[in-house]
Amino acid sequence: MADTISSQDLPKIKRNNVGNMKDMISNLPDGILHYILSLLSTKEAVRTSVLSPKWRYLWTQLSTFDFKIPHPLYETNHQNQNSANCLLDLVGRLLCKSNHVERLCVEILKITIDADKVSSLISSAVKHNVHDLQLSIDDRKYLDTKYVLPNCFSASKSLNKLVLQLGFLLYIPDGIRFSSLKILNLSYVRFANEKSVQQLFSGCPVLEELTLYKCIWEYINHITISISSLRTLTIHSDSSCLDYDHYDSCTVTIHAMNIVSLTCTSTPTLKFDLVNPTSIIDANIGIEFDYPQSEVYAANCVFGLLSGLSGVKSLTLTSDTFQCLYLSADTLNLLPLFHNLTNLHIIPSGDMEFTFEVLLDILHKTPKLEVLDIPMVFCAHLEDEDLTINSVPCCFETSLRSFCISNFYGYEAEVRLVKLLLENATILEEMKISFLECLSSNLEHLTNVMNQLGPSDQGNCVTMFQ
Amino acid sequence: MSEIDMSVIKPEMMKPYIWLQTSDGSIQQVEQEIAMFCPFICQEIIQKGTGSSKNCAICLPEKVSPAMLSLVLDYCRFHQVPGRSNKERKSHDEKFIRMDTKRLCDLTSAADSLQLRPLVDLTSRTLARIIEGKSPEEIREIFHLPDDLTEEEKLEPLKNTTDDPRIRLLNRLYAKKRKELKERGRLKNVELEEEHVDERSVDDLLSFINGNDGDSKGSKTSKNKKKNRRKKEQKKNSTLTEASEVKKELSGHSAVSDKIAGTSNMYTEDDTFSHKEFDDDEDVDDEIDPALQAKIDRHICSESRLLQRIVGLPQFTAATTATAEGGSQADGVAPNPTTAILFRYSALLTTYDDDN
């Protein structure tokens, strides 16, 4: 009788039956019904309002809402705009009536709506104590639309997290203040001028996490980030963020008083200036130059940045970043000693030209290295006898515990490196060599390589091949 | 249960069995260790000292029937053993939770009253999974939810603050339908046939609410505007009287809980039929030229058909043979209730202010 009903059975069930059966779920305590609704997507939860009168307003008591209008297939037309406006009105009304909204996400992309509606949504959200606000309102028609971020943010005592993706040309008003904002995430934001940027950052006195993702620096040459409470900073930019002619003129000055974790990825490179970087513990750098930047400029930028990071414990770099340095070979030697660095992780990127020489030079700068992870390594000059190492990096002998090479092809340089490690790395515990697909399928080459590597069990080292 | 609580218990109370009384009055003996996994039972033992004998059995909340208690205890029996891995617990839960929906709901209730949060979470998540991805119709079927938005409620006139001609039109349609219903009710009609499928997503609902401005609609509106302007006053009055009539109607009328398929006949193209309808209809358009009225009706028909086409509802056939007397066999799916649901949703937006 009351078996779980599959979708195929449904049409067969006569509606007459419903009258005889008692409603099984609506009598559950409201708290449980709210919990169930919170497990559904916002769309599904709102849909339950048509189930029966009891369910009509149940969804409005939820605390997290994710409203997204899917990308329209065609250009903005009246219908889409109506949906968008309708949605904004609904959200506004919801905020007014409900005391519980804590997390609100509204995403309306590729549909133009009035900037006024955005402002009223923001002021409504602020007024009703939303903790976590995410607004993604972007359409290329906004490109020249100026928008001043509403000052009502200053009145908010509860806003902890703000994620903004606004396609407008953004002006930040004077004196704006985000008194409780801990996490700020700006994506694709186009700042109108430097003053706006400064005003925004100085208005976040307790900010702990800042992310600038593909923000457009078209009108800006110099950005200063000086927030004393900041602990995590992520800056990601690509060629869409800068004006072609001004690739070389953008500088980011970071006052890293308390920053613990820094991530900078930019192609073409921005010039990063680190002030007081002693607190940084882990850094993730992915810098590459892009035409028409000069390689030398890029190398200088990378050098400057890496010099500032000499105190980090854990460093993740893309192979391209290293190659930038290599292009100005002398500068490598001028790098300071990374006296705290225990984990070095190199991610393959771009052309994956990661040369042996560069690796060795770096390893000479990392006396306390414990974990080394590289994608591959090869040598530009195969016949060069200098491939025989002058001096084994001291970390091999004193600190290296774990080594991993993820895209092993069997280049001579790779084989030499592995042999070098096996011979000299006395406290190496674990070596992991992952073969590239093309190597493992080429049996002949594989056996060749394995032979070259020689016996793999030496000392305490456990070698894993895969 | 904290360690502190446990240490406060006097040694003589640590008997291996306790007594529980379920909602039907029956008392059973249960291993104490297992029962203590439920905070409610734990509290009863510690704070009130009950459960140590048959005479002072712990009275469980009314939602806990013997069957539910047995399920809860099975759950506790597995989980109170400390040494199990997360994987084991998870796979046990997956098997445990396979039961029919009614039992699932009852179990949620029982677990909640026993304050056993992990089980409440498990059952709630399962219920959420059942609800996920289903249309409201399917959900109603599964949980036996009464679809008790009455016909009348669905047909309440919408607030037309912007004097939108479409809403005006719709209110007129509703007015007509209410009349129909009144007649049906008097003749003691019938039998509900088809299911209407309400698969609209919120987005569609929202987009629909503001109307779909296809080109064809545009021309229609302009045509209507002229007529509407002329009859504006009359319409306003008629809608007002309709509304007050309906209110009187609602208070005295017993709810018709099932949809009436025969209402689709309202949209027949048959001019004579609609004429007939209007001859009986005193409230609306008294002074309007019947020919003009027929024209308006035709517009209404095609407008609602257009609305359906746009929203993707199954087309209703005009070839229904239902007449004013009764007999409600309709070939096509009743379009109106669905449209009504959609506009009901917009009513939700507009009337929300009233209800709170």
Side-chain angles (χ1 to χ4, degrees), chain A residues 2 10 15 23-24 26 29 32 35 40 43-44 46 50-51 53 56-57 60 78 82-83 86 90 93, chain B residues 100 112 124 128 132-133 136-138 140-145 148 192 207 210 213 344-345 349 351-352 355:
Chain A
L10 287 172
R15 193 172 294 261
D23 173 358
M24 357 166 151
S26 305
I32 295 190
Y35 181 59
L40 300 170
K43 193 155 119 167
E44 304 241 2
V46 174
V50 296
L51 287 177
R56 188 167 152 180
Y57 297 125
T60 58
H78 198 31
N82 278 336
S83 324
C86 200
L90 173 71
R93 225 186 298 253
Chain B
D100 58 78
D112 177 61
S124 304
E132 213 168 10
E137 285 311 304
E138 290 169 329
R140 283 202 205 101
E141 292 290 351
I142 293 172
F143 293 104
H144 303 314
L145 292 176
D148 50 358
L192 159 78
S207 67
N210 266 325
D213 286 340
R344 185 75 200 143
Y345 192 80
L349 298 179
T351 60
Y352 195 177
D355 289 7

Side-chain angles (χ1 to χ4, degrees), chain A residues 16, chain B residues 189-193 258-261 328-329:
Chain A
N16 297 336
Chain B
N189 230 347
V190 202
E191 194 143 19
L192 159 78
E193 297 291 90
D258 293 334
K259 278 165 234 19
I260 294 167
S328 55
Q329 302 305 311

Side-chain angles (χ1 to χ4, degrees), chain A residues 9-133:
Chain A
D9 295 337
L10 287 172
K12 300 183 201 149
I13 298 171
K14 290 281 178 204
R15 193 172 294 261
N16 297 336
N17 282 346
V18 179
N20 304 333
M21 308 253 191
K22 229 184 77 164
D23 173 358
M24 357 166 151
I25 190 173
S26 305
N27 293 324
L28 289 175
D30 276 357
I32 295 190
L33 292 176
H34 290 145
Y35 181 59
I36 294 176
L37 286 180
S38 72
L39 296 169
L40 300 170
S41 69
T42 299
K43 193 155 119 167
E44 304 241 2
V46 174
R47 260 214 284 203
T48 63
S49 61
V50 296
L51 287 177
S52 82
K54 158 109 193 192
W55 289 76
R56 188 167 152 180
Y57 297 125
L58 215 50
W59 64 275
T60 58
Q61 302 299 311
L62 291 176
S63 59
T64 300
F65 290 96
D66 239 305
F67 292 107
K68 293 191 182 157
I69 294 192
H71 286 210
L73 290 174
Y74 307 108
E75 282 293 311
T76 300
N77 58 26
H78 198 31
Q79 178 179 344
N80 291 328
Q81 280 183 313
N82 278 336
S83 324
N85 286 327
C86 200
L87 177 65
L88 289 172
D89 287 340
L90 173 71
V91 176
R93 225 186 298 253
L94 175 69
L95 284 169
C96 283
K97 291 300 176 182
S98 159
N99 295 325
H100 310 291
V101 182
E102 286 177 15
R103 263 203 71 220
L104 177 66
C105 167
V106 175
E107 186 180 298
I108 302 176
L109 299 176
K110 297 217 170 77
I111 300 175
T112 25
I113 55 176
D114 282 333
D116 291 338
K117 288 209 182 269
V118 178
S119 298
S120 60
L121 177 62
I122 290 176
S123 67
S124 208
V126 163
K127 206 163 87 171
H128 295 96
N129 298 323
V130 170
H131 293 171
D132 182 339
L133 179 63

